Amino acid sequence: MSVLEVKNLRKSYNGSEVLKGLDFSLEKGEALSIIGSSGSGKTTVLRCLNFLETPDEGIMKVNGKTVFDASDKTKKSDSEIRRNRLHFGYVFQNFNLFPQYTALENIKLAGELLAKERPDYSANRKNILEEIEANAIDLLSQMGLSDRADHYPHQLSGGQQQRVAIARALALSPDILCFDEPTSALDPELTGEVLRVIKSLADKHTTMIIITHEMKFAHDVSSRVMFLDHGSILEQGTPDEIFLNPKEERTRQFLSSYQK
């Protein structure tokens, strides 16, 4: 059974169709890279998956459970949307850390807020919060940032901020980790820092969707690559199939622009 199944995903803005009936799936441990020109709909795909946008049509399932069905007009509660959103960890382009919190506090925050909804929170508050902090400290260590726990975002480099953002996305153990051009705001040196972290996650078979303009990285890290063009999936396949032997002329044109 696929971790993620998406059927007929459609989204329009002001009468312009941005996503045109996308069908795709994701297997456990797979790293799917989505490539395509700016404006092709890549970020909209992730925003729909994370319930930051509401698709006009389509069905989304995680581990066989329907988390969104456009034909179901029943209004979803905020708590239900939050529960469904927990399937996905989202790493934004521009870090989006809370400036008033330290690196460690940014990672702990979501877990602490959700813990308050647990029926055993009052009775086990101390143990629950200690567990959340221990997990956050471990994630900072994995990101190579143990010595930055008490630093605020303005005291961190862009690469360090993005690694904190990755740790934050991992903190709630999502089924799928989503990266929306995670290096677009970084210079080449800091880009390498973040790409190495994502590669290590792929090596651990973390289930991921990665939007990137780093074509060599997409080739090296992906299990599968999907080329999106004007809101449609033009083709998808293994990295070698897409980068070395694309079937579509539009894919060849797109890739050639990165080789000049």
Side-chain angles (χ1 to χ4, degrees):
M1 180 174 63
S2 299
V3 174
L4 175 68
E5 296 176 76
V6 176
K7 298 291 185 184
N8 192 36
L9 188 67
R10 294 180 180 274
K11 179 66 180 177
S12 296
Y13 297 109
N14 300 318
S16 177
E17 196 171 27
V18 178
L19 300 180
K20 302 175 181 178
L22 273 59
D23 295 326
F24 65 95
S25 62
L26 186 66
E27 302 302 314
K28 185 175 178 59
E30 187 175 27
L32 170 66
S33 285
I34 304 178
I35 63 172
S37 301
S38 297
S40 60
K42 304 185 300 297
T43 293
T44 304
V45 172
L46 289 192
R47 290 182 65 83
C48 286
L49 291 178
N50 284 273
F51 303 94
L52 298 173
E53 301 283 353
T54 303
D56 301 321
E57 296 182 37
I59 296 174
M60 301 188 304
K61 295 182 179 182
V62 177
N63 295 323
K65 177 188 174 183
T66 300
V67 296
F68 177 82
D69 185 346
S71 66
D72 181 1
K73 302 304 180 182
T74 306
K75 183 175 175 57
K76 302 296 185 293
S77 67
D78 289 344
S79 62
E80 184 175 2
I81 292 172
R82 281 201 303 273
R83 284 196 303 273
N84 288 334
R85 188 174 282 153
L86 291 175
H87 293 295
F88 302 90
Y90 201 130
V91 180
F92 296 86
Q93 294 181 26
N94 293 310
F95 327 137
N96 284 19
L97 299 179
F98 292 102
Q100 70 273 36
Y101 297 127
T102 65
L104 185 64
E105 289 168 343
N106 264 278
I107 298 168
K108 293 192 302 180
L109 182 60
E112 290 174 341
L113 292 173
L114 287 167
K116 294 177 181 178
E117 299 180 5
R118 291 174 51 167
D120 64 337
Y121 181 72
S122 295
N124 298 292
R125 179 178 181 276
K126 184 175 183 292
N127 289 337
I128 290 171
L129 293 181
E130 286 178 350
E131 183 178 332
I132 290 170
E133 177 155 341
N135 181 54
I137 290 171
D138 180 60
L139 287 168
L140 270 178
S141 176
Q142 290 180 40
M143 298 297 133
L145 295 171
S146 295
D147 59 342
R148 297 291 188 269
D150 295 328
H151 286 57
Y152 290 88
H154 74 273
Q155 298 173 306
L156 303 172
S157 71
Q160 290 169 340
Q161 289 187 64
Q162 194 62 298
R163 282 185 278 158
V164 172
I166 294 170
R168 180 179 62 180
L170 287 165
L172 298 178
S173 301
D175 295 290
I176 302 164
L177 193 58
C178 300
F179 293 92
D180 186 4
E181 296 185 35
T183 61
S184 64
L186 303 176
D187 63 34
E189 183 177 2
L190 298 180
T191 291
E193 288 182 16
V194 173
L195 294 184
R196 283 191 292 274
V197 170
I198 300 173
K199 179 64 165 62
S200 71
L201 291 170
D203 291 343
K204 296 174 184 175
H205 304 291
T206 304
T207 309
M208 299 187 290
I209 300 176
I210 307 163
I211 293 175
T212 183
H213 287 292
E214 302 284 342
M215 296 298 113
K216 183 180 186 305
F217 173 73
H219 177 275
D220 293 345
V221 80
S222 306
S223 313
R224 187 158 48 92
V225 178
M226 186 166 76
F227 177 60
L228 204 61
D229 186 53
H230 292 93
S232 298
I233 300 172
L234 203 58
E235 62 177 308
Q236 57 182 311
T238 67
D240 281 353
E241 287 171 339
I242 297 300
F243 290 109
L244 302 182
N245 190 31
K247 297 176 182 178
E248 300 291 335
E249 176 61 26
R250 177 70 187 99
T251 313
R252 289 193 287 271
Q253 291 174 354
F254 172 80
L255 293 175
S256 68
S257 68
Y258 282 90
Q259 297 167 356
K260 292 178 181 178

